Amino acid sequence: MPDVRTHEPDDHDNAYAGLLVNDAHWAFGTDFEDPLAGVDTTVPDGVDPATLATYCLMLGDDALVLSQRLAEWCSNAPDLEEDIALSNIALDLLGQARLLLARAAAADGSQVPTLPDSSPVPDEDRLAFFRDAPQFRNVRLAEVPGGDFAQTVVRILLFSSWRLALLDRLNQSRDAVLAAVAAKAVKELTYHRDFAGRWFLTLARGTDESRRRLVAGLDALWPFWTELFETHDVERAAARSGVGVDPADVAADVEAVLDQVLAASGVERPAQPPHAADHGRDGRTGRDGEHTEALTALLAEMQVVARAHPGGQW
Amino acid sequence: MPVVAEPEQESEAQLEARFEAVINRKDRVEPRDWMPDAYRRTLVRQVAQHAHSEIIGMQPEGAWIGRAPSLRRKAILLAKVQDEAGHGLYLYSAAETLGVSRQELTEMLISGRQKYSSIFNYPTLSYADVGTIGWLVDGAAICNQVPLCRTSFGPYGRAMIRICKEESFHQRQGYELLMTMMRGTDEQRAMVQESVDRFWWPSLMMFGPPDDESPNTARSMAWGVKTHTNDELRQRFVDMTVPQAKALGVTLPDPELVWNEERGAHDFGQPDWDEFWDVVKGNGPCNAQRVAHRKKAWDDGAWVREAALAFAAGDGSDTSSDTSSDTSDGPRTA
Amino acid sequence: MTSEIRGEWPLYEVFVRGKRGLNHVHVGSLHAPDDQLALRHARDVYTRRNEGVSIWVVRSSAITASSPDEKDPLFAPSGDKVYRHPTFYDIPADVPHM
């Protein structure tokens, strides 16, 4: 980073003067330029690199797409404290996404979109900004349009309860990078679940209106719930080779957590059949690249500047 | 039974003298101290306007979070805009120690009775604007704000110390974005220059009208609420920015800008003050949009704030389950 | 209409222990509907950059304070409270700006 001198320090500037010297900890820590700096990215013995990469894309896309959705709250939240909290969650997920996409690229470069030879765009950004919707592997719970604050609370609760259970087990992954990402993410997701659980309870027992909105939000997202626990072939293969987790294995734990929150809040599980919207053509799901129409719109916004400058430096 | 003597009631003149003494020895005034009504009014106006500027200032940059062209830039920008929410919060808290609530201040903002910095009534038209706002707008803000760390009202000064620390990251990220873009493609370099051309004059306006047209300056300085005049700070900003522009490789759109050896400072042209007053009066490109955005967020959030209060009060035991819901008031995607 | 809802989340004071071995220090305030959310808000608002290892929050209205001066003016309102509650301080609608 260039040494930017902004003004002559004088005795009025004590609060500020020393801060230009070392701001490494301000935004994101020290290894912000290269997300995997200093990390051994060798694929473990007996693991298919393509499987590992696709598995990382699945977990990375989940985080990236939901982060994009949650960031929509920035400057729109019910109060400043909630604005800051939702941005924190979006930032945590964005950090997870960046590491996971970088890990995917390092494991199997053939899945990274090709750009003109001279392009300086790093691999994780090629994956984020130069893939089309059918190449995204996220669950559809992450992509559906935002809804109100109640629906956002429901989505964070469902998503973080599930992801926390997955990443808690991923701590033991044979892939050192995934294990390290999981160890960090578990702390973040524990907070996300706690935040959402607390607000779920608050809205359930707040006013008539908040309860009505909460129940409506749960109903709206319920069709996307069972998809989280369906095992894709890639997940099965990743689990077998000891680098991934089979989501079916965490279903019982996660359902128990959800039941606990519902019971404390006095909210019933939605009665509607969960399969109303959760399968596309031939039973394909988000993990196969089958998405709702919301994802193309989300990506159109997310990718517009990057795609206009395939040789750009940011 | 011990008798506690009632403190004698001081006269207005005695109180005023004590207040002046605190100001004169450059000590801090704290919330429970006696202070003249006019001082309190001036502070409420200034701190509120500052807080509103942080909150409204989230919008022009926030509009680009969804379109940030790299994951790294997205994280930086989101963290930056989040900081602005934090700054607004610190400042509203400082204002609250003067006896005015965040809710009241917010309502004055969305009803147009209180202002915010006019710079945020200009649109952001390209991603380069994120960099330019960091470099020029935050740079100008820092010039204004660093002296405020020593402002006479304690809570305001303490909020400013925290804010200035965080602003240093804001300015650096902006300048660094522009430097990186200048190393990129021709299109990117053109974007940077175009953005700087658009933001240069509005940035100079951020210091307020020339000293001879700034009716509040003298009194604010006497009270230690302000510590430098508008023109002093504007000069400091120009002098600091010219070499940065050169290092960046952009030109500043002022034909009168030249180093004055005699003064040891730059001479420069005057912004279009008619435009300035016009934007202040509400006729800028984005005034209505910015206030409407804030009003919508505040109004849409009313049921959430109310629900949380009801829950905290323990009376939220109703279990009606009407599921017909309108969930159309979520955040808008840009 | 927002003006119909006069209830505002109560004010909390936030104290952060920067690192082990130090006292908790007052860093600012925030609004929250209850203690638990106040703690979560404090984490998000005041420790975004790893500034703390421990947080206290306390309702501003629960703090008892000494007088600012020996001669405590009789007209100092709510003299036992550090932080005043909002009092609908009257601000003229036509205050000048900038």
Side-chain angles (χ1 to χ4, degrees):
Chain A
M1 187 173 282
D3 180 30
V4 182
R5 220 175 46 131
T6 51
H7 63 280
E8 292 299 324
D10 62 29
D11 64 344
H12 285 190
D13 301 336
N14 289 339
Y16 172 61
L19 288 160
L20 284 183
V21 181
N22 177 15
D23 61 356
H25 68 291
W26 283 122
F28 282 92
T30 48
D31 294 332
F32 201 48
E33 299 301 322
D34 175 1
L36 295 182
V39 176
D40 179 10
T41 54
T42 313
V43 176
D45 285 343
V47 175
D48 172 33
T51 297
L52 175 60
T54 308
Y55 183 67
C56 289
L57 284 180
M58 291 174 171
L59 295 181
D61 289 346
D62 289 341
L64 175 60
V65 171
L66 184 55
S67 173
Q68 179 81 4
R69 278 285 178 236
L70 293 180
E72 290 168 4
W73 278 105
C74 189
S75 81
N76 293 295
D79 212 337
L80 302 180
E81 286 85 353
E82 260 48 64
D83 214 293
I84 292 167
L86 289 168
S87 288
N88 262 354
I89 296 175
L91 278 167
D92 286 344
L93 292 174
L94 185 55
Q96 293 174 21
R98 190 161 176 239
L99 290 165
L100 287 162
L101 296 190
R103 204 312 164 238
D108 179 10
S110 71
Q111 299 196 29
V112 179
T114 309
L115 293 178
D117 281 347
S118 57
S119 173
V121 176
D123 284 346
E124 69 271 18
D125 287 340
R126 294 179 184 217
L127 285 167
F129 298 100
F130 292 89
R131 279 182 301 156
D132 294 328
Q135 297 167 287
F136 273 74
R137 300 292 198 134
N138 58 283
V139 295
R140 286 167 294 173
L141 176 68
E143 78 200 25
V144 290
D148 64 4
F149 184 76
Q151 189 167 323
T152 298
V153 164
V154 172
R155 171 147 55 181
I156 297 171
L157 178 68
L158 297 180
F159 184 87
S160 62
S161 300
W162 166 71
R163 190 172 174 88
L164 176 57
L166 281 183
L167 269 58
D168 201 28
R169 296 191 179 205
L170 205 59
N171 246 325
Q172 272 84 51
S173 173
R174 285 182 59 224
D175 182 57
V177 183
L178 271 179
V181 171
K184 178 168 182 289
V186 159
K187 290 178 201 151
E188 297 168 345
L189 291 161
T190 301
Y191 177 76
H192 304 172
R193 191 182 69 177
D194 179 67
F195 170 88
R198 178 74 199 175
W199 267 110
F200 193 96
L201 182 71
T202 300
L203 297 179
R205 291 164 52 181
T207 62
D208 288 353
E209 183 177 18
S210 68
R211 185 178 181 84
R212 176 180 65 73
R213 286 174 179 266
L214 187 75
V215 170
L218 187 59
D219 285 345
L221 295 176
W222 196 245
F224 304 99
W225 176 238
T226 54
E227 179 185 348
L228 305 188
F229 304 102
E230 288 173 15
T231 312
H232 189 273
D233 287 344
V234 168
E235 290 169 312
R236 189 172 292 112
R240 277 207 194 114
S241 59
V243 294
V245 176
D246 183 339
D249 290 348
V250 303
D253 288 356
V254 178
E255 295 282 10
V257 168
L258 183 63
D259 281 338
Q260 230 182 336
V261 176
L262 292 174
S265 308
V267 173
E268 299 281 323
R269 272 175 177 265
Q272 59 174 301
H275 278 254
D278 72 341
H279 286 81
R281 292 164 293 186
D282 306 325
R284 285 154 52 89
T285 68
R287 288 286 187 246
D288 298 297
E290 182 83 15
H291 294 284
T292 67
E293 64 182 15
L295 185 64
T296 48
L298 179 145
L299 294 181
E301 183 192 8
M302 186 175 93
Q303 298 176 335
V304 61
V305 178
R307 288 203 180 197
H309 302 273
Q313 287 198 47
W314 307 100
Chain B
M1 188 171 165
V3 176
V4 179
E6 290 273 301
E8 272 179 48
Q9 188 161 352
E10 290 176 280
S11 71
E12 186 95 359
Q14 284 173 305
L15 289 163
E16 187 122 27
R18 205 140 50 88
F19 172 83
E20 293 295 340
V22 169
I23 296 289
N24 289 338
R25 64 173 187 264
K26 300 209 182 302
D27 206 345
R28 299 296 191 279
V29 178
E30 293 295 343
R32 292 188 61 224
D33 293 341
W34 182 90
M35 61 188 85
D37 274 350
Y39 176 85
R40 185 187 297 270
R41 261 201 307 278
T42 298
L43 269 170
V44 168
R45 190 193 72 213
Q46 183 171 333
V47 178
Q49 181 170 310
H50 196 159
H52 296 330
S53 298
E54 296 282 358
I55 298 306
I56 295 291
M58 296 170 72
Q59 295 178 29
E61 289 175 284
W64 290 90
I65 293 169
R67 291 174 283 176
S70 78
L71 297 179
R72 178 172 171 274
R73 287 294 168 198
K74 190 187 287 289
I76 291 172
L77 182 57
L78 181 52
K80 190 203 161 184
V81 179
Q82 182 198 39
D83 271 351
E84 284 159 8
H87 296 175
L89 192 153
Y90 308 155
L91 289 162
Y92 283 126
S93 297
E96 288 187 77
T97 67
L98 292 161
V100 55
S101 76
R102 187 197 298 176
Q103 177 167 314
E104 290 172 273
L105 294 173
T106 300
E107 284 170 5
M108 283 201 271
L109 169 67
I110 62 186
S111 64
R113 279 178 292 152
Q114 281 183 340
K115 302 288 181 187
Y116 52 89
S117 177
S118 282
I119 190 77
F120 301 118
N121 289 320
Y122 290 88
T124 47
L125 303 179
S126 78
Y127 204 78
D129 288 359
V130 170
T132 308
I133 288 177
W135 175 39
L136 295 180
V137 175
D138 294 336
I142 288 171
C143 283
N144 271 329
Q145 291 172 357
V146 166
L148 290 175
C149 294
R150 292 172 63 87
T151 191
S152 61
F153 186 59
Y156 189 26
R158 290 191 287 274
M160 289 316 305
I161 287 173
R162 200 174 175 89
I163 288 168
C164 285
K165 286 182 181 183
E166 299 185 350
E167 288 284 350
S168 72
F169 146 61
H170 294 183
Q171 200 198 12
R172 288 193 70 145
Q173 65 82 31
Y175 193 73
E176 193 240 5
L177 169 60
L178 297 181
M179 296 254 295
T180 308
M181 289 180 72
M182 292 299 286
R183 287 196 299 267
T185 63
D186 289 343
E187 289 86 357
Q188 288 186 296
R189 276 186 287 276
M191 277 168 76
V192 172
Q193 183 64 60
E194 187 277 333
S195 175
V196 170
D197 288 345
R198 248 183 312 115
F199 272 97
W200 174 250
W201 293 112
S203 301
L204 290 189
M205 294 178 195
M206 285 178 68
F207 298 93
D211 291 345
D212 52 14
E213 293 172 38
S214 178
N216 300 316
T217 292
R219 191 180 220 187
S220 289
M221 289 187 69
W223 277 333
V225 174
K226 249 172 120 161
T227 55
H228 296 73
T229 71
N230 296 349
D231 286 333
E232 282 168 11
L233 292 170
R234 193 169 6 250
Q235 180 74 56
R236 183 190 278 205
F237 173 72
V238 171
D239 290 339
M240 140 191 142
T241 304
V242 168
Q244 291 173 348
K246 196 175 168 207
L248 194 57
V250 296
T251 56
L252 299 173
D254 179 0
E256 296 174 48
L257 184 63
V258 63
W259 176 252
N260 182 326
E261 191 68 50
E262 216 167 291
R263 289 203 305 127
H266 292 87
D267 293 337
F268 55 96
Q270 285 294 307
D272 179 346
W273 291 115
D274 291 339
E275 175 185 313
F276 171 79
W277 289 114
D278 206 36
V279 177
V280 167
K281 282 178 195 133
N283 302 321
C286 302
N287 296 56
Q289 171 190 337
R290 300 287 186 242
V291 172
H293 180 132
R294 181 71 191 113
K295 181 172 177 353
K296 177 169 171 24
W298 183 250
D299 289 351
D300 287 352
W303 69 268
V304 178
R305 299 190 299 273
E306 194 182 10
L309 272 182
F311 174 73
D315 60 1
S317 55
D318 174 83
T319 52
S320 76
S321 55
D322 173 12
T323 53
S324 66
S325 174
D326 169 21
T327 56
S328 64
D329 62 358
R332 284 175 307 148
T333 53
Chain C
M1 264 316 278
T2 53
S3 55
E4 285 167 16
I5 300 158
R6 296 310 311 179
E8 187 166 27
W9 292 353
L11 198 61
Y12 281 81
E13 300 306 320
V14 181
F15 300 80
V16 171
R17 185 200 295 284
K19 60 181 179 184
R20 291 177 179 280
L22 298 182
N23 285 322
H24 284 76
V25 173
H26 183 239
V27 293
S29 48
L30 51 74
H31 288 275
D34 59 41
D35 296 354
Q36 289 305 312
L37 272 171
L39 209 48
R40 286 163 178 77
H41 287 160
R43 169 197 181 273
D44 286 323
V45 173
Y46 287 105
T47 66
R48 293 201 299 290
R49 293 180 167 88
N50 297 321
E51 293 101 326
V53 296
S54 164
I55 301 171
W56 291 347
V57 292
V58 59
R59 281 232 192 166
S60 309
S61 59
I63 294 178
T64 306
S66 65
S67 303
D69 296 290
E70 287 175 9
K71 288 187 177 180
D72 192 16
L74 282 178
F75 45 80
S78 57
D80 59 339
K81 298 288 184 277
V82 176
Y83 302 93
R84 295 183 199 205
H85 288 285
T87 55
F88 293 95
Y89 191 76
D90 187 27
I91 294 169
D94 58 347
V95 285
H97 30 71
M98 297 299 288

